[in-house]
Amino acid sequence: MEAGEARARFAAARVARLATADAGGLPHLVPVCFAVAGDTVYSAVDDVKPKTTRRLRRLANVAANPAVALLVDHYEDDWSALWWVRADGRGRVLDDAPDAIALLAARYEQYRAAPPAGPVLAVDVERWTGWSAE
């Protein structure tokens, strides 16, 4: 799959899995809502889904080790329709990102009703890769 098609499929997906690792290499994987602008993927800490703290492990991991990966996939029982896309890049934590919040709110109704207060995780994608059974 070419990078342009991989990016388009990724951007159209509703949820991604974010993989981070701490300074010692211990992996951490979580589902995230996201928005894509160019080659940057944004996700935010929100109040919609209950969390015990805003100091999330994914943010601490990015501060210690900015190498991250995001994965979206499509599954059907008809395996000829399977595909996946991975976005590999460098993460950074933004404390004030109104443009990213606006992108997320435009994409998710829940964020229009309750905009995320942040922080925002920005992933500057260095490589889009994917595979499709088609």
Side-chain angles (χ1 to χ4, degrees):
M1 180 181 304
E2 293 183 11
E5 180 181 351
R7 185 193 168 286
R9 287 187 187 214
F10 188 99
R14 297 296 290 164
V15 65
R17 277 69 180 167
L18 170 69
T20 62
D22 65 16
L26 185 65
H28 181 66
L29 185 67
V30 293
V32 294
C33 296
F34 67 92
V36 178
D39 285 325
T40 303
V41 178
Y42 297 101
S43 66
V45 176
D46 60 47
D47 294 324
V48 177
K49 300 171 293 298
K51 296 170 184 64
T52 57
T53 179
R54 295 179 92 53
R55 298 173 50 194
L56 301 180
R57 184 167 161 195
R58 69 189 90 160
L59 303 178
N61 284 355
V62 166
N65 177 0
V68 303
L70 290 144
L71 178 75
V72 301
D73 66 295
H74 176 77
Y75 178 85
E76 290 187 28
D77 287 336
D78 172 3
W79 284 10
S80 68
L82 303 179
W83 61 265
W84 60 262
V85 173
R86 194 175 77 214
D88 298 310
R90 314 265 314 155
R92 52 197 167 92
V93 178
L94 309 174
D95 290 322
D96 185 36
D99 292 343
I101 299 297
L103 286 171
L104 288 160
R107 191 164 153 77
Y108 297 99
E109 180 180 334
Q110 297 88 336
Y111 286 164
R112 287 191 290 279
V120 169
L121 175 61
V123 176
D124 299 312
V125 178
E126 298 168 344
R127 183 178 56 197
W128 299 97
T129 55
W131 170 87
S132 175
E134 296 174 334

